[in-house]
Amino acid sequence: MTGPRLGDTRSWRLRGPAPLAGVLRVPGDKSISHRALLLGAMAHGTTEISGLLQGEDCRATMAALRAVGVEIVELPNDTVRVRGRGPEAWREPESILDAGNSGTTLRLLAGILAGRPFCSLLTGDESLRRRPMRRIVDPLRAMGATVLGRAEGGFPPLAIRGGGLRGIAWSSPVASAQVKSAILLAGLQAAGETSVSEPILSRDHTERMLSAFGLAPRRDGTTVTVPGGGRLTAAALAVPGDLSSAAFLLVGAAARGGGELCIRGVGVNPTRTGLLDVLEHMGAEVRREHPRLAAGEPVADLVVRGRRLRGVRVGAELIPRLIDEVPALAVAAALADGETVITGAAELRVKEVDRLSAVADELSRMGAAISATQDGLCIQGDAKLRGAVVSSRGDHRMAMSLAMAALFAEGETVIRDVACVNTSFPGFAHLLADAAPACAIREEMVDA
Ligand code: S3P
């Protein structure tokens, strides 16, 4: 799983125009799945998780937890049982922990391991080894952990010798749920309270899930505080569908007049729903039906009715609420009337790939008028997209965004390097084949 994806020769071939419609479900939320596994492994008792995402990222978290001695039983229907015995029962891993492509695995696990009095080594694939780590390494060091890494702790592999932590009050310069969560998970094992402040509230799944495990953090504005030394009690959790996976399909339906798409059981946590707000702003009809709560997370059935969309301005304050949806949003913007300007999104340059450059370059190949700025995108709408040979560059969200663009393009599109989609959305191509049969999507092996 770790190697660079250079040998990946899988492509999709699909053709447009092809409408998208129907009633469907998407796999479990990736962020919530990671947290359910990690908190289950820190808790006391058996945590049963249903609807767990079985993508490669979450499988990397499971493998790492097994390597520190946590028992995880896999049952049918995306259900697992995590037998937690508290973090004290974790043991020194005999080998290097491999987070694959998953920043959430590496950063959240580093937070927990910073509290453990043993040595652990963490690495990831070629993409993850290029992603910045000082944002977690600095606070974990300030709490008393020894953390080493390439470039003074800047990049993985990381080596952690943990234990003996003291609580801190940390002010994070970036709005990042991974940073916030890593510090809070270390803080649970520290002496005294730990608080994290962020410039804009990032996704709050860790905070909500801690409450489900019996340890409610305190929130004051964008500062969240946990006590040290608290005990987590096992919980039963149902993971909602992933809005970030639904996002591609929602865009595919919203940007074409007349169609209607329903996606059942999607998480609609307000720290994640920026795309829904923006699509409504662009003129799409987005309805949330049967709202309910699952393990402290709001869930709804989403119904989207397509319309002619218009361009929008998306500024820094909204970015954390749609950080993973910008590539999909760029497709909607290319098809809308008028100009769309996205600013304050420089964080996208340090995701699985530099998503600002990647989305601008690849959509340009399909005829979109889009350019990357230092911290965002500038898109002139009303594009007449045409089929082309494009590449995901090994980024799952790029692959699926390009597939949506292909549904609006005249002629055939080939998207190279698509195995990465298994990190977050196994089965995407099958689902698309059902929901947009006219695209006749085919997965093929091609010469590297
Ligand atoms: C995630 C947080 C976000 C997001 C990522 C998942 C999480 O990353 O982009 O896909 O589960 O905490 P950052 O914390 O780097 O913004």
Side-chain angles (χ1 to χ4, degrees), residues 161-177:
R161 164 84 213 177
L165 300 184
R166 37 188 192 272
I168 48 165
W170 190 259
S171 183
S172 171
V174 278
S176 158

Side-chain angles (χ1 to χ4, degrees), residues 286-302:
V286 183
R287 288 199 315 273
R288 300 173 197 206
E289 296 183 345
H290 309 114
R292 52 214 187 255
L293 270 182
E297 291 283 348
V299 179
D301 300 337
L302 294 177

